[in-house]
């Protein structure tokens, strides 16, 4: 049996293009259907599921608000929580005045005793010191100790050293009227750098260099009472 191909090549190409056209149309229709389905699902999610979720969340918020409103002393609880939240920042801003006791252990010589110490941060950062010394020389050493003192603070890797006391003023100095406390009764005012009490000053250590103190007082003979006793007068305020 002999078979003859009666379709020319042009006819074959035409049929092939027709099949390809139908396939493309079919795929386009399927893609459009899939895209439409996705758009529909997204629309249902946005306008349906999300709205339901928002409504559920709002209902939960309203329920929780109602429960909180029904609690007794809720305002006090919230006030305490707000106060606790501010404690860390307030701690960084506070002064640690207890450091003064550690500083005085270094600054006060053995022959000087203190009777009163007033520390003021609002009045120019001053320390007013009342006390007794065995003599004017001891008082002079006490004053010079403050003037030459240094404070080191910071981490172990980075230490900073400052002169913590700006002015040391002798307000008064004279022989004690208390027979139980012989010697020199004095009042000294010291202006200090606020860093020495700052909570952010890490590991503060007061240091006194080994220096020879100056002569803050001179002795003059009393020429008018015929006595050989000498009186000691301060030259003035030590600053």
């Amino acid at each position: 049996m002999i078979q003859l191909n009666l379709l020319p090549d042009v006819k074959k190409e035409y049929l092939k293009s027709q099949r390809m056209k139908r396939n493309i149309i079919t795929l386009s229709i399927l893609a459009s259907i899939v895209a439409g389905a996705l758009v529909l699902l997204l629309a249902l999610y946005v306008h349906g599921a999300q709205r339901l979720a928002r409504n559920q969340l709002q209902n939960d918020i309203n329920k929780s608000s109602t429960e909180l409103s029904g609690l007794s002393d809720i305002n006090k609880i919230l006030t305490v929580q707000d106060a606790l939240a501010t404690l860390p920042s307030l701690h960084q801003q506070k002064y640690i005045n207890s450091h003064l006791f550690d500083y005085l252990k270094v600054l006060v010589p053995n022959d000087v005793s203190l009777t009163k110490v007033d520390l003021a941060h609002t009045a120019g950062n001053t320390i007013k010191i009342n006390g007794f010394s065995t003599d004017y020389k001891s008082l002079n050493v006490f004053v010079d100790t403050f003037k030459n003192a240094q404070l080191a603070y910071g981490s172990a890797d980075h230490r900073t050293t400052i002169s913590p006391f700006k002015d040391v003023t002798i307000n008064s100095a004279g022989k004690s009227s208390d027979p139980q406390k012989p010697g020199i009764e004095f009042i000294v005012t010291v202006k200090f750098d606020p860093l020495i009490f700052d909570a952010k000053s890490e590991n503060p250590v007061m240091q006194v260099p080994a220096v020879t103190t100056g002569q803050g007082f001179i002795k003059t003979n009393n020429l008018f009472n015929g006595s050989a006793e000498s009186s000691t007068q301060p030259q003035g305020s030590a600053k």
Side-chain angles (χ1 to χ4, degrees):
M1 182 177 178
I2 300 173
Q3 295 181 349
L4 298 175
N5 185 7
L6 301 176
L7 294 174
D9 293 338
V10 175
K11 185 67 173 180
K12 291 181 180 180
E13 291 297 331
Y14 173 75
L15 293 176
K16 184 179 179 180
S17 63
Q18 288 296 106
R19 286 194 301 271
M20 185 178 294
K21 182 179 179 180
R22 286 193 297 272
N23 292 335
I24 293 174
I25 293 173
T26 301
L27 292 175
S28 299
I29 293 173
L30 291 175
S32 299
I33 293 173
V34 171
L38 291 175
V39 171
L40 180 61
L41 291 175
L42 289 174
L44 291 175
Y45 176 74
V46 171
H47 298 287
Q50 282 193 346
R51 181 173 296 179
L52 291 175
R54 286 197 301 267
N55 292 336
Q56 183 63 39
L57 289 174
Q58 187 61 47
N59 291 334
D60 292 341
I61 292 172
N62 294 337
K63 181 179 178 180
S64 299
S65 298
T66 303
E67 292 177 355
L68 288 175
S69 300
L71 294 176
S72 59
D73 297 331
I74 182 62
N75 291 330
K76 294 181 179 179
I77 295 174
L78 294 177
T79 301
V80 171
Q81 289 179 341
D82 291 339
L84 291 175
T86 61
L87 283 179
S89 61
L90 291 176
H91 176 72
Q92 293 297 323
Q93 298 173 6
K94 73 178 183 179
Y95 292 112
I96 305 180
N97 293 331
S98 60
H99 285 330
L100 179 61
F101 298 104
D102 297 326
Y103 299 154
L104 291 177
K105 291 178 183 179
V106 178
L107 296 169
V108 180
N110 293 330
D111 47 5
V112 173
S113 60
L114 306 184
T115 58
K116 183 179 180 182
V117 178
D118 293 325
L119 174 63
H121 289 282
T122 56
N125 297 318
T126 59
I127 304 174
K128 185 178 180 181
I129 304 173
N130 295 55
F132 292 88
S133 64
T134 56
D135 50 30
Y136 284 109
K137 181 179 179 181
S138 300
L139 176 58
N140 184 51
V141 172
F142 176 66
V143 171
D144 283 350
T145 300
F146 272 88
K147 290 166 46 172
N148 292 283
Q150 293 181 337
L151 181 82
Y153 66 94
S155 63
D157 298 332
H158 180 72
R159 300 286 287 175
T160 302
T161 302
I162 63 171
S163 297
F165 304 112
K166 303 175 182 178
D167 295 293
V168 183
T169 304
I170 301 175
N171 301 103
S172 64
K175 289 186 177 181
S176 173
S177 58
D178 188 348
Q180 297 181 354
K181 295 181 179 180
I184 305 302
E185 183 177 4
F186 64 85
I187 299 176
V188 173
T189 301
V190 181
K191 289 187 178 182
F192 61 88
D193 190 323
L195 281 174
I196 68 176
F197 299 111
D198 198 323
K200 296 187 288 295
S201 298
E202 186 180 0
N203 301 322
V205 176
M206 188 67 67
Q207 302 171 344
V208 179
V211 297
T212 302
T213 60
Q215 182 63 37
F217 298 89
I218 60 173
K219 294 183 178 180
T220 58
N221 293 327
N222 190 333
L223 302 178
F224 301 100
N225 58 10
S227 173
E229 180 183 2
S230 62
S231 61
T232 306
Q233 300 295 333
Q235 287 182 335
S237 299
K239 294 186 179 180

